[in-house]
Amino acid sequence: MVATRRSLSPAPKRAASPARKPAARAKSPARKKKAKAGPFILLDPKRMPFWLYAPNLLGYIRVATLVYAMYESDPGSSMAATCLALSLAIDYVDGPCARRFDMCTKFGDLLDHVCDHVTMLWLVHCTTASDIDRAVNALHCGVALAYMAYTGHYFKHASTSNVVTAIVEANNYFNMPSILWNANTCVVPLVKMSYHASYGIGLKDSTPLLDVVNYMGLLVT
C-alpha cells in the first residue's frame, strides 16, 4: 500500500534551468574605409611636374594659336582672328584654374603675361595704320618683356606699383582706363579683323569712332 502511494505521488518538479541567452554573434572586423580617390592627375600638383600643370598646358595652347596666326598668309583672315580671339579667351581661364587647383607658379605667370603682351602687340601691328600706335605698343611690350626677364616676375607682383598700373588693375580691371586699354590692344583690332574677314574691308581701314576709342586707349597704354 505504501508502495502504491509512493508510485501515485507526483514526481518532484525539476528546477527550471535558466533560459539560455542566444550566443552573441562574433563581430565582424570593421570594414576598412576606402581611401578617397585623389584628383584627376592633370589637376593634382603633387603628382605632376610644374611644366605639365593644367594652366601651363593652356598657356602652350595660347603659344600655338599665336604662332599659327602669325604664319597665316593673310594676317586678318577668319582663322587668324579666331586663333587670336581664342588666345585671349584662354587668358580668362588659366589664372582661375591655377588658383583653384593650387597650381600657381612663377613659370606659369611669366608664360601667361608673355602671351598677353605678344598677342596684343601682334593685333595692333596687323590692324593699325598709325606708326605712333604701333611704336607705343611695341615700346610697351618691350619694356614689359624686359622687366619680366630681369626680375623674374610680372610688374603687378612687385612690392610697389606705379600710378598707372594701380589705376588699370583697380576693381580687377573693371574700370574705364582698363576698358580703354583693352579697346586699343584687343577690341578695336579684332573688330577690324572681323570686318576684313567677313566683308573684305581693308584690314587697316577704320572709322572716326573707332579712331577716337583707339587713341583714348593708346593714352593709357
Side-chain angles (χ1 to χ4, degrees):
M1 194 68 180
V2 176
T4 304
R5 286 179 182 175
R6 287 180 180 176
S7 61
L8 293 176
S9 61
K13 294 181 179 181
R14 295 181 179 178
S17 59
R20 294 182 180 179
K21 294 181 180 180
R25 294 182 180 178
K27 294 183 179 180
S28 57
R31 295 180 179 177
K32 294 182 179 179
K33 293 182 179 180
K34 293 183 178 179
K36 188 177 180 181
F40 179 54
I41 187 169
L42 288 179
L43 302 178
D44 187 355
K46 296 179 180 179
R47 294 188 290 169
M48 294 295 293
F50 74 89
W51 48 274
L52 286 180
Y53 282 1
N56 295 340
L57 296 179
L58 293 175
Y60 304 148
I61 295 175
R62 295 190 66 190
V63 172
T65 58
L66 178 59
V67 171
Y68 187 91
M70 287 180 169
Y71 275 91
E72 274 284 277
S73 56
D74 179 4
S77 68
S78 178
M79 180 57 70
T82 300
C83 287
L84 294 170
L86 177 61
S87 173
L88 294 173
I90 293 176
D91 185 38
Y92 287 90
V93 179
D94 55 4
C97 177
R99 291 184 288 273
R100 169 64 178 80
F101 298 105
D102 193 23
M103 292 182 166
C104 297
T105 62
K106 185 179 293 186
F107 171 78
D109 181 63
L110 292 174
L111 176 64
D112 176 38
H113 289 100
V114 167
C115 287
D116 288 345
H117 283 279
V118 175
T119 299
M120 291 186 295
L121 176 60
W122 182 252
L123 281 166
V124 172
H125 171 73
C126 292
T127 59
T128 188
S130 168
D131 291 334
I132 296 177
D133 191 6
R134 186 180 292 104
V136 170
N137 274 278
L139 177 62
H140 178 263
C141 180
V143 170
L145 295 181
Y147 179 90
M148 287 187 280
Y150 180 74
T151 63
H153 60 77
Y154 194 50
F155 66 83
K156 73 177 183 180
H157 299 307
S159 56
T160 58
S161 60
N162 61 55
V163 177
V164 176
T165 59
I167 293 173
V168 170
E169 294 172 14
N171 300 320
N172 198 25
Y173 292 90
F174 284 96
N175 54 72
M176 187 55 67
S178 177
I179 292 172
L180 290 173
W181 175 51
N182 277 279
N184 170 245
T185 57
C186 301
V187 179
V188 171
L190 287 174
V191 168
K192 290 182 178 181
M193 282 187 166
S194 176
Y195 274 90
H196 171 76
S198 299
Y199 304 108
I201 298 174
L203 186 57
K204 297 183 180 181
D205 290 347
S206 186
T207 66
L209 177 60
L210 282 179
D211 286 338
V212 169
V213 174
N214 187 56
Y215 283 111
M216 288 178 67
L218 182 60
L219 292 176
V220 181
T221 303

Short mmCIF file of all heavy atoms in Angstrom, two decimals, residues 84-129:
data_model
loop_
_atom_site.label_atom_id
_atom_site.label_comp_id
_atom_site.label_asym_id
_atom_site.label_seq_id
_atom_site.Cartn_x
_atom_site.Cartn_y
_atom_site.Cartn_z
N LEU A 84 43.60 84.22 -82.51
CA LEU A 84 43.95 85.29 -81.58
C LEU A 84 42.86 85.50 -80.53
O LEU A 84 43.15 85.73 -79.35
CB LEU A 84 44.22 86.58 -82.34
CG LEU A 84 45.45 86.53 -83.26
CD1 LEU A 84 45.51 87.75 -84.17
CD2 LEU A 84 46.73 86.43 -82.44
N ALA A 85 41.59 85.41 -80.96
CA ALA A 85 40.48 85.54 -80.01
C ALA A 85 40.50 84.38 -79.01
O ALA A 85 40.22 84.56 -77.82
CB ALA A 85 39.16 85.58 -80.76
N LEU A 86 40.84 83.17 -79.49
CA LEU A 86 40.93 82.01 -78.60
C LEU A 86 42.03 82.21 -77.57
O LEU A 86 41.86 81.90 -76.38
CB LEU A 86 41.20 80.75 -79.42
CG LEU A 86 41.39 79.45 -78.62
CD1 LEU A 86 40.15 79.14 -77.80
CD2 LEU A 86 41.74 78.30 -79.55
N SER A 87 43.17 82.75 -78.01
CA SER A 87 44.27 83.00 -77.09
C SER A 87 43.84 83.96 -75.98
O SER A 87 44.12 83.74 -74.80
CB SER A 87 45.46 83.59 -77.84
OG SER A 87 46.49 83.99 -76.95
N LEU A 88 43.11 85.01 -76.35
CA LEU A 88 42.66 85.98 -75.35
C LEU A 88 41.59 85.39 -74.45
O LEU A 88 41.52 85.70 -73.25
CB LEU A 88 42.12 87.23 -76.06
CG LEU A 88 43.17 88.04 -76.84
CD1 LEU A 88 42.49 89.15 -77.64
CD2 LEU A 88 44.21 88.63 -75.90
N ALA A 89 40.75 84.52 -75.00
CA ALA A 89 39.70 83.88 -74.19
C ALA A 89 40.31 82.95 -73.14
O ALA A 89 39.86 82.91 -71.98
CB ALA A 89 38.74 83.11 -75.09
N ILE A 90 41.35 82.21 -73.53
CA ILE A 90 42.01 81.30 -72.59
C ILE A 90 42.65 82.08 -71.45
O ILE A 90 42.77 81.58 -70.32
CB ILE A 90 43.07 80.45 -73.33
CG1 ILE A 90 42.38 79.49 -74.30
CG2 ILE A 90 43.91 79.65 -72.34
CD1 ILE A 90 43.35 78.68 -75.15
N ASP A 91 43.02 83.34 -71.73
CA ASP A 91 43.62 84.17 -70.69
C ASP A 91 42.68 84.36 -69.50
O ASP A 91 43.14 84.62 -68.38
CB ASP A 91 44.00 85.53 -71.28
CG ASP A 91 44.74 86.41 -70.30
OD1 ASP A 91 45.56 85.87 -69.54
OD2 ASP A 91 44.50 87.63 -70.28
N TYR A 92 41.37 84.24 -69.72
CA TYR A 92 40.40 84.38 -68.64
C TYR A 92 40.17 83.08 -67.89
O TYR A 92 39.41 83.04 -66.92
CB TYR A 92 39.06 84.89 -69.19
CG TYR A 92 39.10 86.35 -69.59
CD1 TYR A 92 39.45 86.72 -70.89
CD2 TYR A 92 38.81 87.35 -68.67
CE1 TYR A 92 39.50 88.06 -71.25
CE2 TYR A 92 38.86 88.68 -69.03
CZ TYR A 92 39.19 89.03 -70.32
OH TYR A 92 39.26 90.36 -70.68
N VAL A 93 40.82 82.00 -68.35
CA VAL A 93 40.61 80.68 -67.74
C VAL A 93 41.83 80.20 -66.97
O VAL A 93 41.71 79.61 -65.89
CB VAL A 93 40.23 79.65 -68.83
CG1 VAL A 93 40.04 78.27 -68.21
CG2 VAL A 93 38.97 80.08 -69.56
N ASP A 94 43.02 80.44 -67.53
CA ASP A 94 44.22 79.84 -66.93
C ASP A 94 44.49 80.34 -65.51
O ASP A 94 44.89 79.57 -64.62
CB ASP A 94 45.45 80.05 -67.83
CG ASP A 94 45.69 81.51 -68.18
OD1 ASP A 94 44.95 82.38 -67.67
OD2 ASP A 94 46.60 81.79 -68.97
N GLY A 95 44.27 81.64 -65.26
CA GLY A 95 44.51 82.17 -63.92
C GLY A 95 43.61 81.56 -62.86
O GLY A 95 44.09 81.03 -61.85
N PRO A 96 42.27 81.60 -63.07
CA PRO A 96 41.37 80.96 -62.10
C PRO A 96 41.65 79.47 -61.94
O PRO A 96 41.53 78.93 -60.84
CB PRO A 96 39.98 81.19 -62.72
CG PRO A 96 40.14 82.45 -63.51
CD PRO A 96 41.51 82.39 -64.07
N CYS A 97 42.04 78.80 -63.03
CA CYS A 97 42.36 77.38 -62.96
C CYS A 97 43.58 77.16 -62.06
O CYS A 97 43.58 76.24 -61.22
CB CYS A 97 42.64 76.84 -64.37
SG CYS A 97 43.14 75.10 -64.42
N ALA A 98 44.59 78.00 -62.20
CA ALA A 98 45.80 77.86 -61.38
C ALA A 98 45.49 78.07 -59.90
O ALA A 98 45.98 77.34 -59.04
CB ALA A 98 46.86 78.85 -61.85
N ARG A 99 44.65 79.06 -59.61
CA ARG A 99 44.32 79.33 -58.20
C ARG A 99 43.41 78.25 -57.62
O ARG A 99 43.55 77.87 -56.46
CB ARG A 99 43.67 80.71 -58.08
CG ARG A 99 44.64 81.86 -58.34
CD ARG A 99 44.00 83.20 -58.12
NE ARG A 99 43.05 83.54 -59.17
CZ ARG A 99 43.37 84.14 -60.30
NH1 ARG A 99 44.63 84.46 -60.55
NH2 ARG A 99 42.44 84.44 -61.19
N ARG A 100 42.49 77.75 -58.43
CA ARG A 100 41.55 76.74 -57.95
C ARG A 100 42.25 75.44 -57.57
O ARG A 100 41.92 74.80 -56.57
CB ARG A 100 40.49 76.47 -59.03
CG ARG A 100 39.59 75.27 -58.78
CD ARG A 100 38.73 75.46 -57.55
NE ARG A 100 37.84 74.34 -57.35
CZ ARG A 100 38.20 73.19 -56.79
NH1 ARG A 100 39.43 73.02 -56.34
NH2 ARG A 100 37.33 72.21 -56.63
N PHE A 101 43.24 75.04 -58.36
CA PHE A 101 43.90 73.75 -58.13
C PHE A 101 45.30 73.90 -57.53
O PHE A 101 46.09 72.97 -57.58
CB PHE A 101 43.96 72.96 -59.44
CG PHE A 101 42.61 72.62 -60.00
CD1 PHE A 101 42.11 73.30 -61.11
CD2 PHE A 101 41.84 71.64 -59.41
CE1 PHE A 101 40.85 72.99 -61.61
CE2 PHE A 101 40.58 71.33 -59.91
CZ PHE A 101 40.09 72.01 -61.01
N ASP A 102 45.57 75.07 -56.98
CA ASP A 102 46.84 75.32 -56.30
C ASP A 102 48.02 75.02 -57.23
O ASP A 102 48.97 74.32 -56.87
CB ASP A 102 46.94 74.46 -55.03
CG ASP A 102 48.08 74.90 -54.13
OD1 ASP A 102 48.51 76.06 -54.23
OD2 ASP A 102 48.57 74.07 -53.34
N MET A 103 47.96 75.56 -58.45
CA MET A 103 48.99 75.33 -59.44
C MET A 103 49.65 76.64 -59.88
O MET A 103 50.10 76.77 -61.02
CB MET A 103 48.41 74.60 -60.66
CG MET A 103 47.98 73.18 -60.38
SD MET A 103 47.35 72.36 -61.87
CE MET A 103 47.34 70.64 -61.34
N CYS A 104 49.68 77.61 -58.98
CA CYS A 104 50.31 78.89 -59.30
C CYS A 104 51.84 78.73 -59.25
O CYS A 104 52.38 78.29 -58.25
CB CYS A 104 49.87 79.96 -58.31
SG CYS A 104 48.10 80.31 -58.35
N THR A 105 52.48 79.07 -60.34
CA THR A 105 53.94 79.01 -60.40
C THR A 105 54.48 80.26 -61.08
O THR A 105 53.77 80.92 -61.85
CB THR A 105 54.43 77.77 -61.19
OG1 THR A 105 53.95 77.87 -62.55
CG2 THR A 105 53.91 76.48 -60.57
N LYS A 106 55.72 80.56 -60.82
CA LYS A 106 56.35 81.71 -61.47
C LYS A 106 56.44 81.47 -62.98
O LYS A 106 56.23 82.40 -63.77
CB LYS A 106 57.75 81.94 -60.88
CG LYS A 106 58.44 83.18 -61.39
CD LYS A 106 59.81 83.37 -60.76
CE LYS A 106 59.69 83.67 -59.28
NZ LYS A 106 61.01 84.00 -58.69
N PHE A 107 56.72 80.23 -63.36
CA PHE A 107 56.80 79.91 -64.78
C PHE A 107 55.46 80.17 -65.47
O PHE A 107 55.40 80.77 -66.54
CB PHE A 107 57.20 78.43 -64.95
CG PHE A 107 57.10 77.92 -66.36
CD1 PHE A 107 58.08 78.22 -67.29
CD2 PHE A 107 56.02 77.14 -66.77
CE1 PHE A 107 58.00 77.76 -68.60
CE2 PHE A 107 55.93 76.67 -68.06
CZ PHE A 107 56.91 76.98 -68.99
N GLY A 108 54.37 79.71 -64.85
CA GLY A 108 53.05 79.90 -65.43
C GLY A 108 52.67 81.36 -65.53
O GLY A 108 52.05 81.80 -66.51
N ASP A 109 53.03 82.14 -64.51
CA ASP A 109 52.73 83.57 -64.52
C ASP A 109 53.46 84.27 -65.66
O ASP A 109 52.88 85.09 -66.38
CB ASP A 109 53.13 84.17 -63.18
CG ASP A 109 52.83 85.65 -63.10
OD1 ASP A 109 51.64 86.02 -63.19
OD2 ASP A 109 53.78 86.45 -62.95
N LEU A 110 54.74 83.94 -65.85
CA LEU A 110 55.50 84.55 -66.94
C LEU A 110 54.97 84.10 -68.29
O LEU A 110 54.85 84.92 -69.23
CB LEU A 110 56.98 84.18 -66.80
CG LEU A 110 57.71 84.79 -65.59
CD1 LEU A 110 59.13 84.23 -65.49
CD2 LEU A 110 57.74 86.31 -65.68
N LEU A 111 54.66 82.83 -68.43
CA LEU A 111 54.12 82.31 -69.69
C LEU A 111 52.84 83.04 -70.06
O LEU A 111 52.63 83.44 -71.22
CB LEU A 111 53.86 80.81 -69.56
CG LEU A 111 53.20 80.11 -70.76
CD1 LEU A 111 54.10 80.18 -71.98
CD2 LEU A 111 52.87 78.66 -70.41
N ASP A 112 51.98 83.23 -69.08
CA ASP A 112 50.70 83.90 -69.30
C ASP A 112 50.88 85.33 -69.78
O ASP A 112 50.30 85.75 -70.79
CB ASP A 112 49.90 83.87 -67.98
CG ASP A 112 48.58 84.63 -68.09
OD1 ASP A 112 47.94 84.54 -69.15
OD2 ASP A 112 48.20 85.31 -67.12
N HIS A 113 51.73 86.08 -69.10
CA HIS A 113 51.87 87.50 -69.45
C HIS A 113 52.71 87.73 -70.70
O HIS A 113 52.50 88.73 -71.41
CB HIS A 113 52.44 88.26 -68.25
CG HIS A 113 51.45 88.39 -67.13
ND1 HIS A 113 51.47 87.58 -66.02
CD2 HIS A 113 50.39 89.22 -66.97
CE1 HIS A 113 50.48 87.91 -65.21
NE2 HIS A 113 49.81 88.90 -65.77
N VAL A 114 53.64 86.85 -70.99
CA VAL A 114 54.35 86.96 -72.27
C VAL A 114 53.37 86.76 -73.42
O VAL A 114 53.38 87.51 -74.41
CB VAL A 114 55.50 85.93 -72.34
CG1 VAL A 114 56.03 85.84 -73.77
CG2 VAL A 114 56.63 86.33 -71.40
N CYS A 115 52.49 85.76 -73.29
CA CYS A 115 51.47 85.53 -74.32
C CYS A 115 50.55 86.74 -74.46
O CYS A 115 50.19 87.13 -75.58
CB CYS A 115 50.65 84.29 -73.98
SG CYS A 115 51.51 82.72 -74.22
N ASP A 116 50.18 87.32 -73.33
CA ASP A 116 49.31 88.50 -73.37
C ASP A 116 49.93 89.62 -74.20
O ASP A 116 49.31 90.15 -75.13
CB ASP A 116 49.06 89.03 -71.94
CG ASP A 116 48.15 88.13 -71.13
OD1 ASP A 116 47.48 87.27 -71.73
OD2 ASP A 116 48.11 88.29 -69.90
N HIS A 117 51.15 89.99 -73.86
CA HIS A 117 51.77 91.16 -74.49
C HIS A 117 52.12 90.91 -75.96
O HIS A 117 51.95 91.81 -76.79
CB HIS A 117 53.01 91.57 -73.70
CG HIS A 117 52.68 92.30 -72.43
ND1 HIS A 117 52.37 93.64 -72.39
CD2 HIS A 117 52.58 91.86 -71.14
CE1 HIS A 117 52.11 94.01 -71.15
NE2 HIS A 117 52.23 92.94 -70.37
N VAL A 118 52.58 89.72 -76.28
CA VAL A 118 52.91 89.44 -77.68
C VAL A 118 51.64 89.38 -78.52
O VAL A 118 51.61 89.88 -79.66
CB VAL A 118 53.70 88.12 -77.79
CG1 VAL A 118 53.94 87.77 -79.26
CG2 VAL A 118 55.04 88.23 -77.05
N THR A 119 50.58 88.80 -77.99
CA THR A 119 49.30 88.74 -78.72
C THR A 119 48.77 90.14 -78.99
O THR A 119 48.34 90.47 -80.10
CB THR A 119 48.26 87.93 -77.92
OG1 THR A 119 48.73 86.60 -77.73
CG2 THR A 119 46.93 87.88 -78.67
N MET A 120 48.78 90.99 -77.96
CA MET A 120 48.27 92.35 -78.13
C MET A 120 49.11 93.15 -79.13
O MET A 120 48.57 93.90 -79.96
CB MET A 120 48.21 93.06 -76.77
CG MET A 120 47.16 92.49 -75.84
SD MET A 120 46.95 93.40 -74.28
CE MET A 120 48.54 93.16 -73.49
N LEU A 121 50.43 93.00 -79.06
CA LEU A 121 51.29 93.73 -80.00
C LEU A 121 51.02 93.27 -81.42
O LEU A 121 50.96 94.10 -82.35
CB LEU A 121 52.77 93.50 -79.64
CG LEU A 121 53.78 94.14 -80.61
CD1 LEU A 121 53.59 95.65 -80.67
CD2 LEU A 121 55.21 93.80 -80.19
N TRP A 122 50.84 91.97 -81.62
CA TRP A 122 50.57 91.47 -82.97
C TRP A 122 49.24 91.99 -83.50
O TRP A 122 49.13 92.34 -84.67
CB TRP A 122 50.59 89.94 -82.96
CG TRP A 122 50.36 89.34 -84.32
CD1 TRP A 122 49.24 88.70 -84.76
CD2 TRP A 122 51.26 89.34 -85.42
NE1 TRP A 122 49.38 88.29 -86.06
CE2 TRP A 122 50.62 88.67 -86.49
CE3 TRP A 122 52.56 89.84 -85.61
CZ2 TRP A 122 51.23 88.50 -87.73
CZ3 TRP A 122 53.16 89.66 -86.86
CH2 TRP A 122 52.50 88.99 -87.90
N LEU A 123 48.24 92.04 -82.64
CA LEU A 123 46.93 92.56 -83.06
C LEU A 123 47.04 94.02 -83.52
O LEU A 123 46.49 94.40 -84.56
CB LEU A 123 45.93 92.46 -81.89
CG LEU A 123 45.31 91.09 -81.64
CD1 LEU A 123 44.62 91.05 -80.27
CD2 LEU A 123 44.31 90.75 -82.73
N VAL A 124 47.76 94.81 -82.73
CA VAL A 124 47.92 96.22 -83.10
C VAL A 124 48.76 96.36 -84.36
O VAL A 124 48.43 97.14 -85.27
CB VAL A 124 48.58 97.00 -81.94
CG1 VAL A 124 48.93 98.42 -82.37
CG2 VAL A 124 47.65 97.04 -80.73
N HIS A 125 49.83 95.60 -84.44
CA HIS A 125 50.72 95.67 -85.61
C HIS A 125 49.97 95.37 -86.91
O HIS A 125 50.21 96.02 -87.93
CB HIS A 125 51.87 94.67 -85.43
CG HIS A 125 52.70 94.49 -86.65
ND1 HIS A 125 53.60 95.45 -87.10
CD2 HIS A 125 52.78 93.47 -87.56
CE1 HIS A 125 54.18 95.04 -88.20
NE2 HIS A 125 53.71 93.83 -88.50
N CYS A 126 49.07 94.41 -86.86
CA CYS A 126 48.37 93.98 -88.08
C CYS A 126 47.25 94.94 -88.49
O CYS A 126 46.90 95.00 -89.68
CB CYS A 126 47.76 92.59 -87.89
SG CYS A 126 48.97 91.28 -87.73
N THR A 127 46.69 95.68 -87.55
CA THR A 127 45.46 96.41 -87.86
C THR A 127 45.59 97.93 -87.82
O THR A 127 44.69 98.63 -88.31
CB THR A 127 44.35 96.01 -86.86
OG1 THR A 127 44.78 96.29 -85.52
CG2 THR A 127 44.03 94.53 -86.99
N THR A 128 46.64 98.48 -87.24
CA THR A 128 46.73 99.94 -87.14
C THR A 128 47.41 100.55 -88.36
O THR A 128 48.33 99.95 -88.93
CB THR A 128 47.48 100.37 -85.86
OG1 THR A 128 47.39 101.78 -85.72
CG2 THR A 128 48.94 99.96 -85.91
N ALA A 129 46.94 101.73 -88.72
CA ALA A 129 47.57 102.48 -89.80
C ALA A 129 48.47 103.57 -89.23
O ALA A 129 49.07 104.33 -89.99
CB ALA A 129 46.51 103.09 -90.70
#
